[in-house]
Amino acid sequence: MTDRLRIESAEVVLSCPDLDATLAFFTERLGFRVAAISPADDPAVVVVAGHGLRLRLERDGAGPPAVLRLACAGSAVGGATELIAPNGTRVLLAPAEPPVELPPLRPAFVFTPMSDAGWRTGRAGMRYRDLVPDRQGGRFIASHIRIAEAGPVPDYVHFHRVRFQMIYCYKGWVRVVYEDQGPPFVLSAGDCVLQPPRIRHRVLESSPGLEVIEVTCPARHDTIADFELELPTSAPRSERTFDGQRFVRHEAAAARFRPWGAAGFEARDLGIAAATGGLADARVVRSCGASAPASLSHEAELSFKFLLHGSATLGSQSDG
């Protein structure tokens, strides 16, 4: 077994026939600073550093022009979105905090049966199954997620750029920790969390055969690692809001079922509506002696249902 490399720094090598002009571009226009230069009397190599990046500018180097992407706060340089360095390097200027883009909704009735097919490996080695394959035009994603083996999960502190995200524990348990929400806790079968936009969190360990259901808007969104923040944070701030939403931890063992809108059914409220200002709602509904079919309608962007136990017959009727 070979020893692991002890890497102390990393540099991107750029060929720069006109070293002086390229150096001026990166230092004067883009704010990099000279970190090393060689030789002093006739520089052929200059290392510049800035914005979490080190560039090695080589006067006699060979290679095609590179592409750098710089995340910028506020307006880009002179309103530009792309710059070209004297050595041909393309510098893409992107917003550091891009807005969440919501694709146009394409509503459709979708039925996805339980299956052992269609699973794929996603982030941190977890297994994912898409429950709404058409994703309603990219507006929503609903994922059935599994972790087969018990023990620590190779996760890291991260957050999501989303409009909405909730996780319901279907089977087993998982230990998680969230920014400003106190020490790690266990999410057991029947429990649910609302993950507000940008809240830092981490999955720590799970039981064997863990299964959760995750619903997120939009379907395609960024997951960003935060290597600087340590969880748990020093003091709980349970009332803190994240983009106008509060964190919710719903514990099934402490919840009560109450009469629901359809006769013969009752439900427990997961607390999502109150925490999102009415953006979304979620409930666990069960029959308590329903004797007739329940006819329901909604005006929401999405009505998502996942069968936890038993069986049900579900149909859809269009206006036409």
Side-chain angles (χ1 to χ4, degrees):
M1 182 175 179
T2 59
D3 293 335
R4 185 175 180 177
L5 293 175
R6 298 181 59 183
I7 300 172
E8 297 184 2
S9 65
E11 300 168 354
V12 177
V13 178
L14 302 180
S15 175
C16 306
D18 190 342
L19 181 59
D20 290 341
T22 303
L23 177 60
F25 173 83
F26 281 103
T27 55
E28 297 173 13
R29 193 162 188 186
L30 297 182
F32 284 80
R33 295 186 298 178
V34 174
I37 191 167
S38 176
D41 62 330
D42 183 21
V45 175
V46 180
V47 177
V48 297
H51 320 300
L53 186 66
R54 287 173 65 94
L55 305 176
R56 182 180 179 89
L57 311 180
E58 295 187 351
R59 184 184 63 193
D60 302 322
V67 178
L68 300 180
R69 186 179 185 274
L70 302 181
C72 306
S75 300
V77 181
T81 58
E82 181 176 327
L83 302 174
I84 304 297
N87 71 327
T89 297
R90 292 177 60 211
V91 180
L92 307 181
L93 306 175
E97 294 293 337
V100 175
E101 296 185 3
L102 296 178
L105 178 67
R106 294 206 303 266
F109 179 80
V110 177
F111 171 70
T112 304
M114 188 67 75
S115 174
D116 287 327
W119 291 88
R120 61 185 181 276
T121 302
R123 195 184 65 80
M126 294 182 279
R127 299 283 288 169
Y128 284 72
R129 184 171 73 100
D130 204 337
L131 299 179
V132 186
D134 69 350
R135 301 186 176 183
Q136 306 288 281
R139 191 84 160 194
F140 294 94
I141 182 172
S143 299
H144 187 180
I145 305 172
R146 285 177 174 172
I147 299 179
E149 302 296 329
V153 177
D155 197 12
Y156 43 84
V157 177
H158 64 281
F159 65 95
H160 308 285
R161 290 193 179 120
V162 294
R163 178 193 184 203
F164 169 81
Q165 186 172 60
M166 64 164 282
I167 295 178
Y168 181 90
C169 187
Y170 175 42
K171 294 181 179 179
W173 59 263
V174 59
R175 194 162 71 95
V176 292
V177 61
Y178 286 86
E179 179 183 7
D180 292 342
Q181 308 305 316
F185 62 87
V186 171
L187 199 68
S188 300
D191 295 350
C192 176
V193 291
L194 172 72
Q195 295 184 169
R198 300 174 182 273
I199 188 172
R200 273 63 172 173
H201 55 283
R202 183 182 178 188
V203 180
L204 300 173
E205 62 177 323
S206 79
S207 67
L210 169 73
E211 298 189 29
V212 303
I213 307 302
E214 179 182 281
V215 180
T216 306
C217 173
R220 186 168 185 172
H221 56 271
D222 293 333
T223 296
I224 312 296
D226 187 337
F227 298 117
E228 303 300 324
L229 184 69
E230 292 188 8
L231 295 180
T233 40
S234 57
R237 297 171 58 196
S238 59
E239 294 305 311
R240 179 183 172 185
T241 60
F242 300 79
D243 284 3
Q245 300 180 30
R246 290 185 295 104
F247 174 80
V248 168
R249 175 190 175 189
H250 173 87
E251 297 180 81
R256 293 180 59 188
F257 279 85
R258 301 180 185 277
W260 192 49
F265 291 89
E266 59 184 7
R268 56 181 167 95
D269 191 335
L270 302 184
I272 304 299
T276 61
L279 175 67
D281 194 4
R283 301 170 188 271
V284 173
V285 179
R286 69 185 183 188
S287 171
C288 58
S291 58
S295 179
L296 304 173
S297 63
H298 70 91
E299 296 181 355
E301 294 179 7
L302 175 72
S303 177
F304 172 78
K305 298 174 176 63
F306 184 88
L307 186 65
L308 299 172
H309 306 286
S311 63
T313 302
L314 184 65
S316 174
Q317 182 176 4
S318 64
D319 293 337

